Amino acid sequence: MSAVYDMAADGPRVSDDMTVEVALSVMASAGVEYLLLCDGDDQCTGSITLAELAVHRGSSTYTDQIRLRDVLKDRPSAAAATPSSRSARSSPGRTAATSPAAKSSEP
C-alpha cells in the first residue's frame, strides 16, 4: 500500500504493514512528523510519530524488516496510538481538560 494523503483524515495514511524505513521515507517526502495507520480493511487504527520511529530505529533490537504494527505492539499504552492523544500532545500547554473538545462537553 502506498501512502495516501487524505485531507479529511488529517494526514498521510499508510498501511500498518509498512516497514519503518519506508515510513520514514514517506514522512520525509510528505514533510510531516506523523502518519495515520490503516489496517487491511483501510480503517484508521492509530498514528505514529517521527520521534517514536527514531527511538525505535535507534534501539539495539531494530532491523530493517520491522513493520509499523510491530512498533505499535511495543508501545506502553494503546492511548498513545489515538489521533486525539496526538493532538493533545502536539499543543504545548494544552491539556485534555483545556482542549476545545473537552470544553464542548461541559454543561
Side-chain angles (χ1 to χ4, degrees):
M1 173 181 201
S2 62
V4 176
Y5 189 77
D6 184 350
M7 292 296 286
D10 193 33
R13 296 167 41 139
V14 299
S15 172
D16 62 1
D17 72 347
M18 180 179 282
T19 65
V20 169
E21 292 299 315
V22 173
L24 289 168
S25 177
V26 169
M27 286 180 179
S29 296
V32 298
E33 294 188 11
Y34 70 93
L35 296 171
L36 298 176
L37 304 180
C38 298
D39 62 14
D41 296 326
D42 203 30
Q43 298 296 311
C44 187
T45 57
S47 65
I48 194 141
T49 66
L50 179 59
E52 288 175 295
L53 293 180
V55 167
H56 198 76
R57 188 178 188 203
S59 80
S60 61
T61 60
Y62 178 77
T63 74
D64 64 356
Q65 297 302 309
I66 293 183
R67 310 242 173 230
L68 296 177
R69 71 169 66 104
D70 300 327
V71 174
L72 293 179
K73 290 177 191 174
D74 291 343
R75 281 186 174 162
S77 98
T82 62
S84 61
S85 66
R86 182 192 76 242
S87 60
R89 287 192 319 258
S90 66
S91 301
R94 180 176 282 184
T95 63
T98 62
S99 72
K103 288 182 179 185
S104 67
S105 64
E106 294 175 3

